[in-house]
Amino acid sequence: MTVAAKQYRVGIAGAGAIALASAAWLRQAGHGVTVWSPGGRGADGLRTQPLEACGIQSFSVKVEVADGAAGLCAASDVLLLALPVNGHRRVMDALLPFLRDGQTVIVSSMASLSSLYLHEAAARAGRRITVASFGTTVLTARRESGTQVRVMTRRKAVGVSALPGSRVEEAVALCTALFGDGFFTDGSALASALANVNPQSHGPLAVFNWTRIERAENWPQYHCMTPGVSRVIEALDRERRAVAAAFGIELGPIEAHFARSFGTASAKLEDIAAELHAKRGGPPGPTQADTRYVTEDMPYGLAFVEALGAIAGVPTPATRTIVDAASLVNGIDFRCENDLLEPLGLANETVAGLLERL
């Protein structure tokens, strides 16, 4: 049986939009799916009700629910971490005692080198696992309820990295067997982490629309990606690519990401935003102050780029400005909210040292 024809038992850690969308997609493709909600009882409805998907496809499937990390690992050949990165360390620590040699853990999507944290922790515990990483999610989705999810997009191209790096071709084949075509190899886990442009786009959108968020107004985010906001996003993107280049990683501009993911034809970011707004009319921007645009993208995205810039001696003034502004308006130093930087030892790392670990 070839890898492309094999059916897998997939354990999904998470019960949010991407977790439910992935569960529905994988089960519809014939794979066994077990879901675990690390935050509590978010998957309980799936014990007695089917998971209903709508959007680009409409169907209903039945999935299993695990009571904890041990049950999820025992029921699964492959694990998919589909939860905000501010929960990665906690969930990885919970899964670690129950991982089996030969298992693959897919981190979707990975940021701040959370996959390196898991791989090194597993190695110290004597576990021989493969950790694959996406720089972005395969699907975009919105959670309608505990048993309903709207799948809005299946991205056309998604990069995959692996630790150890020698397993990357196997990881691409596995992801293709699970989700279908469109996967390509990223050069390293760091390339995957820096390929994610959500922090660069979400950060300025949140900062410059903060009153809308606090007032819980209905605002279409691509419509609010005005020429001025687009200039800020472009500045953050230039710094992201400059930091990547200092580590020997060549990344395409944010405009290329939108073209790959959504099939946009415009060349300028402000025109891409207008094109997406005309085509999709959304999605709506966040309406809660604890939006992941700040709780996740600031500490684990932009502050991580800052930390890498400090290692490599690359200035990141625009990135620093947005993190400072978000920290000021929230009364939180988002640099201190990243719980991966310290255990990864990045403050004392060098470019050569980090590349050797990867």
Side-chain angles (χ1 to χ4, degrees), residues 35-353:
V35 176
W36 169 50
S37 175
R41 308 183 67 86
D44 276 2
L46 297 173
R47 297 179 188 274
T48 57
Q49 300 177 56
L51 173 56
E52 298 178 11
C54 63
I56 58 175
Q57 293 184 27
S58 294
F59 56 87
S60 177
V61 293
K62 187 72 175 72
V63 301
E64 302 299 319
V65 177
D67 292 325
L72 188 74
C73 291
S76 309
D77 308 308
V78 181
L79 295 169
L80 176 70
L81 269 61
L83 64 157
V85 70
N86 53 9
H88 280 194
R89 181 181 174 184
R90 176 176 60 85
V91 171
M92 288 172 176
D93 288 345
L95 293 171
L96 187 59
F98 309 107
L99 294 175
R100 304 189 305 275
D101 287 352
Q103 279 185 312
T104 296
V105 181
I106 301 172
V107 186
S108 171
S109 58
M110 189 268 290
S112 205
L113 285 177
S114 61
S115 63
L116 180 62
Y117 172 82
L118 176 60
H119 187 257
E120 292 185 336
R124 288 192 298 270
R127 307 284 198 281
R128 296 188 299 276
I129 65 170
T130 299
V131 185
S133 301
F134 300 154
T136 188
T137 59
V138 178
L139 307 169
T140 66
R142 186 166 299 276
R143 186 181 190 267
E144 304 287 353
S145 73
T147 60
Q148 297 173 310
V149 63
R150 179 176 298 277
V151 183
M152 297 182 289
T153 309
R154 198 295 195 181
R155 297 188 197 273
K156 296 181 178 180
V158 177
V160 182
S161 62
L163 291 166
S166 60
R167 302 276 177 81
V168 68
E169 295 295 342
E170 294 174 29
V172 169
L174 172 61
C175 294
T176 301
L178 294 175
F179 288 99
D181 294 333
F183 294 95
F184 61 91
T185 59
D186 274 338
S188 68
L190 185 58
S192 291
L194 290 172
N196 189 344
V197 298
N198 280 347
Q200 285 70 32
S201 57
H202 290 168
L205 275 172
V207 167
F208 293 112
N209 290 282
W210 192 251
T211 56
R212 292 187 172 102
I213 294 173
E214 284 195 308
R215 299 287 188 194
E217 295 176 9
N218 183 12
W219 58 285
Q221 63 181 29
Y222 288 123
H223 185 60
C224 293
M225 194 184 289
T226 61
V229 173
S230 295
R231 278 193 294 274
V232 178
I233 294 172
E234 290 164 346
L236 298 186
D237 187 56
R238 286 192 295 271
E239 292 179 359
R240 174 186 71 100
R241 287 184 285 141
V243 167
F247 286 87
I249 299 167
E250 183 179 352
L251 296 177
I254 194 169
E255 294 84 356
H257 165 82
F258 279 106
R260 280 196 311 271
S261 296
F262 304 114
T264 53
S266 302
K268 296 177 61 178
L269 187 59
E270 62 187 81
D271 295 331
I272 288 172
E275 183 181 339
L276 286 171
H277 178 67
K279 189 182 299 183
R280 302 175 66 190
T287 55
Q288 294 180 314
D290 62 351
T291 169
R292 64 186 176 87
Y293 285 23
V294 292
T295 61
E296 183 177 356
D297 290 325
M298 291 296 170
Y300 295 96
L302 297 185
F304 175 66
V305 170
E306 263 193 306
L308 291 177
I311 293 172
V314 175
T316 54
T319 301
R320 183 185 66 246
T321 297
I322 294 299
V323 176
D324 283 344
S327 298
L328 186 62
V329 78
N330 281 274
I332 298 170
D333 184 351
F334 283 112
R335 296 174 181 86
C336 297
E337 296 296 298
N338 186 322
D339 61 358
L340 293 166
L341 295 180
E342 184 176 351
L344 286 171
L346 295 190
N348 301 311
E349 191 53 279
T350 65
V351 171

